Amino acid sequence: QSVLTQPPSVSAAPGQKVTISCSGSSSNIGDNYVSWYQHLPGTAPKLLIYDNNKRPSGIPDRFSGSKSGTSATLGITGLQTGDEADYYCGTWDSSLSAGVFGGGTKLTVL
Amino acid sequence: QLQLQESGPGLVKPSETLSLTCTVSGGSINSSDYYWGWIRQPPGKGLEYIGNIYYSGYTYYNPSLRSRVTISIDTSKNQFSLKLSSATAADTAVYYCARHRLGARDFDYWGQGTLVTVSS
């Protein structure tokens, strides 16, 4: 059971938009920055979003992040087949004094 | 460009200690701006945080693994290591090392990962 809650899967057609939610509590999302990672099988996870809504260099602006209270959302517009991957939210938990991740969401581009 | 590379045995016997090392190149591990962490992914499951270490040796651990985990750092070799004692089949996973940024609390650089199987 992950500390952060994500939907197991989402799907949308190429060119469409999708959002992935991440729900936590006051000790994690409510108290710290949220990051998002894209994970393709057999590769290292890639940082997509940090500080709730910032993109590292090289990440296209099709990817966006937001946070409100104890929840965060990853948005992906103009979906491409290459976006099919597992997406994870992550943050720090101030009560646990440990990093925490969501259970992951599998994105299917139909 | 910072690179991290995990190394260690791919097969560990039950009840023995799982040991991995992460070698950092392209940057110094002896920095006050970062922690250095371990994350794992069991087959078919999600990412699990194991722990972090600062260049000074200060550590944070996942409470569920704390009794069995030791993370250490060797700044002279630009390496940090993971030891997980009393390994069981449930510890079978791909293990990643990564850089953990102090301010953002995110993992911005990751190793490619190494599969460790716990089996007799």
Side-chain angles (χ1 to χ4, degrees), chain A residues 32-33 35 37 39 42-47 49-51 86 88 91-92 96-103, chain B residues 39 41 45-49 52 60-63 66 96 100-101 103-108 110-113:
Chain A
N32 294 282
Y33 289 119
S35 51
Y37 305 86
H39 193 197
T43 69
K46 178 196 291 187
L47 179 64
I49 298 289
Y50 68 98
D51 284 4
D86 295 321
Y88 292 89
T91 187
W92 189 258
L96 297 175
S97 290
V100 289
F101 290 101
Chain B
I39 302 103
Q41 183 179 33
K45 297 187 177 181
L47 300 175
E48 180 181 29
Y49 168 86
N52 277 357
Y60 290 104
Y61 294 133
N62 183 328
R66 187 189 309 275
Y96 297 97
H100 192 221
R101 295 195 290 187
R105 298 285 207 177
D106 60 30
F107 293 96
D108 62 342
W110 296 65
Q112 283 300 301

Side-chain angles (χ1 to χ4, degrees), chain A residues 48-59:
Chain A
L48 279 182
I49 298 289
Y50 68 98
D51 284 4
N52 304 329
N53 55 17
K54 297 185 175 126
R55 285 175 287 106
S57 173
I59 301 299

Side-chain angles (χ1 to χ4, degrees), chain B residues 65-98:
Chain B
L65 298 171
R66 187 189 309 275
S67 63
R68 298 193 294 128
V69 172
T70 301
I71 298 177
S72 58
I73 194 165
D74 187 337
T75 55
S76 68
K77 294 182 179 178
N78 233 32
Q79 295 176 333
F80 60 105
S81 298
L82 167 70
K83 290 190 186 300
L84 182 62
S85 64
S86 305
T88 71
D91 295 314
T92 294
V94 175
Y95 285 77
Y96 297 97
C97 59

Side-chain angles (χ1 to χ4, degrees), chain B residues 2-63:
Chain B
L2 191 76
Q3 292 187 323
L4 295 89
Q5 180 66 57
E6 306 88 351
S7 60
L11 181 63
V12 175
K13 289 183 168 53
S15 80
E16 294 190 346
T17 296
L18 182 159
S19 296
L20 294 173
T21 295
C22 181
T23 300
V24 179
S25 58
S28 175
I29 202 171
N30 198 15
S31 169
S32 59
D33 293 328
Y34 309 106
Y35 272 79
W36 304 91
W38 289 97
I39 302 103
R40 69 181 183 180
Q41 183 179 33
K45 297 187 177 181
L47 300 175
E48 180 181 29
Y49 168 86
I50 299 172
N52 277 357
I53 190 164
Y54 200 45
Y55 75 101
S56 63
Y58 193 84
T59 53
Y60 290 104
Y61 294 133
N62 183 328

Side-chain angles (χ1 to χ4, degrees), chain A residues 3 11 26 31 35 39 42 44 54 69-70 78 92 107-109:
Chain A
V3 173
S11 62
S26 58
D31 197 35
S35 51
H39 193 197
K54 297 185 175 126
T70 59
W92 189 258
L107 169 63
T108 301
V109 181

Side-chain angles (χ1 to χ4, degrees), chain A residues 75-102:
Chain A
I76 311 173
T77 60
L79 278 172
Q80 303 172 2
T81 55
D83 295 332
E84 285 202 337
D86 295 321
Y87 291 84
Y88 292 89
C89 57
T91 187
W92 189 258
D93 191 297
S94 303
S95 293
L96 297 175
S97 290
V100 289
F101 290 101

